[in-house]
Amino acid sequence: MQQSIQKASQILQQVNLPTIPEEVIRLKEEINKKYPNTVTIANLISHHPELLANFLDLVNTNLTDEKQEIKDARAAVNVLGLEDLYNLFLSSVLTHIISESDVEKMILNHGAKAGIAAAELSYWVQNVSRSEAYMAGLMQNIGAVYLSRLEPEYYAHLFNQQLAAPLTAYQKELEHFETAHTFVGIIVARRWHIGSDIYKAILLHHNIDFATKTAGHAKVKNLVSLVILANYVVSATTGEQYITHESKQFRDRALEVLDLPRDRAIKAASSAVQKFGNKVGVVVGAH
């Protein structure tokens, strides 16, 4: 594992890793204060109109329990918890500044749809919020974005293989690059100050033995399970060719962990992806 992380670090030195915008850093600092100033928070969120628009698009999906449309930053501050607000603003900013090609757009769009599905599934999971589930789904393949910059055509093919073969195609990636997007992803997540529960989920979402490896860490176990089940939901809505014995095996491992009504939950997640999936789509070169 250490060798894989070292190789991932070397790869990241070859590509352009964007820095987090100042607004996000200042937002985190303000939220961490003993008495956060809601006016300051609203001003930070609305500083760049385009970032605000992306944030509001995300907020007005299934990622909160709010039924009324949230139309401005002040309304978002008033109705959202500070943790949810930060997670969603960070997620909206990251999707705005990352993608530079159609391959990267494909990877991030899959993550955004998986995030939508994971958020819907989290309704039945007590210790994971909708915004955390969304971020885990969105960020699961962030490392894939940067691996794809080394060999775009090859990686696009490999990424599609992993949708149907989350274990064997992932092993192929490990052999080819001497690391994998999971290891690249945790380094990126740490640099962007994403919570440890999320980056642990990034690391383990292709590990069939994730339940054993997260024994004693119920929240991480649930996050990994949500990501895996969300991936299955997205694959099922994409095409029958992605529903394989291997993808079903991963799905069933996730269902063993999650205490939810299987058919009802999967139907709800599928409906959410179909309703909101295009709304959270990533634009190439948006930054």
Side-chain angles (χ1 to χ4, degrees):
M1 178 174 173
Q2 193 58 40
Q3 289 181 336
S4 296
I5 292 175
Q6 290 175 352
K7 182 65 175 181
S9 182
Q10 292 171 9
I11 288 172
L12 284 173
Q13 293 174 12
Q14 303 174 41
V15 297
N16 177 36
L17 185 63
T19 56
I20 295 295
E22 182 183 357
E23 289 82 4
V24 177
I25 296 171
R26 290 175 60 194
L27 177 63
K28 184 67 170 177
E29 291 173 348
E30 187 64 36
I31 287 174
N32 285 341
K33 290 180 179 178
K34 186 174 182 180
Y35 300 108
N37 186 309
T38 56
V39 174
T40 299
I41 290 172
N43 287 339
L44 288 169
I45 292 173
S46 58
H47 184 69
H48 286 298
E50 193 171 2
L51 293 182
L52 174 62
N54 292 339
F55 169 69
L56 293 177
D57 281 345
L58 195 57
V59 167
N60 289 306
T61 59
N62 66 325
L63 304 186
T64 74
D65 294 322
E66 183 62 30
K67 302 305 179 186
Q68 298 294 323
E69 182 180 4
I70 299 173
K71 297 183 178 181
D72 54 44
R74 182 171 295 182
V77 172
N78 288 338
V79 302
L80 298 179
L82 292 181
E83 182 182 358
D84 284 344
L85 186 144
Y86 177 76
N87 285 342
L88 295 179
F89 186 67
L90 176 59
S91 296
S92 67
V93 168
L94 291 178
T95 55
H96 181 75
I97 67 175
I98 293 172
S99 66
E100 296 182 354
S101 70
D102 288 336
V103 173
E104 294 171 28
K105 176 185 175 183
M106 174 192 70
I107 293 169
L108 286 172
N109 278 339
H110 174 272
K113 290 179 179 180
I116 289 289
E120 194 67 27
L121 293 166
S122 72
Y123 173 82
W124 290 276
V125 182
Q126 291 186 347
N127 63 351
V128 176
S129 70
R130 283 179 176 264
S131 68
E132 288 174 316
Y134 175 77
M135 180 171 278
L138 173 69
M139 296 298 292
Q140 61 172 310
N141 294 320
I142 192 64
V145 168
Y146 296 102
L147 273 185
S148 74
R149 292 182 183 178
L150 301 180
E151 300 179 56
E153 290 187 11
Y154 173 78
Y155 200 87
H157 177 67
L158 188 61
F159 183 81
N160 276 316
Q161 283 186 324
Q162 290 185 20
L163 300 182
L167 180 60
T168 54
Y170 175 76
Q171 291 297 324
K172 186 185 297 185
E173 178 181 307
L174 274 170
E175 293 168 6
H176 184 81
F177 291 101
E178 298 178 14
T179 189
H181 67 277
T182 52
F183 298 106
V184 178
I186 61 172
I187 296 174
V188 174
R190 285 171 175 170
R191 291 185 186 177
W192 287 343
H193 307 292
I194 292 170
S196 62
D197 291 335
I198 301 293
Y199 71 66
K200 289 173 184 175
I202 293 172
L203 178 64
L204 293 171
H205 75 278
H206 280 280
N207 193 314
I208 195 70
D209 296 320
F210 73 91
T212 300
K213 294 182 180 297
T214 54
H217 300 277
K219 186 171 184 178
V220 175
K221 184 184 297 185
N222 285 338
L223 277 167
V224 178
S225 301
L226 285 169
V227 170
I228 290 173
L229 187 53
N231 285 340
Y232 177 83
V233 168
V234 175
S235 292
T237 61
T238 303
E240 291 184 3
Q241 69 270 28
Y242 297 114
I243 306 305
T244 64
H245 173 74
E246 197 168 306
S247 66
K248 289 179 180 178
Q249 185 182 17
F250 266 75
R251 174 204 64 189
D252 292 344
R253 287 292 177 92
L255 287 169
E256 288 172 6
V257 171
L258 298 171
D259 183 19
L260 44 71
R262 171 176 170 159
D263 293 343
R264 179 184 168 195
I266 290 178
K267 182 178 180 181
S270 299
S271 297
V273 170
Q274 291 168 354
K275 182 176 181 180
F276 298 116
N278 291 331
K279 191 172 183 180
V280 296
V282 179
V283 178
V284 176
H287 54 294

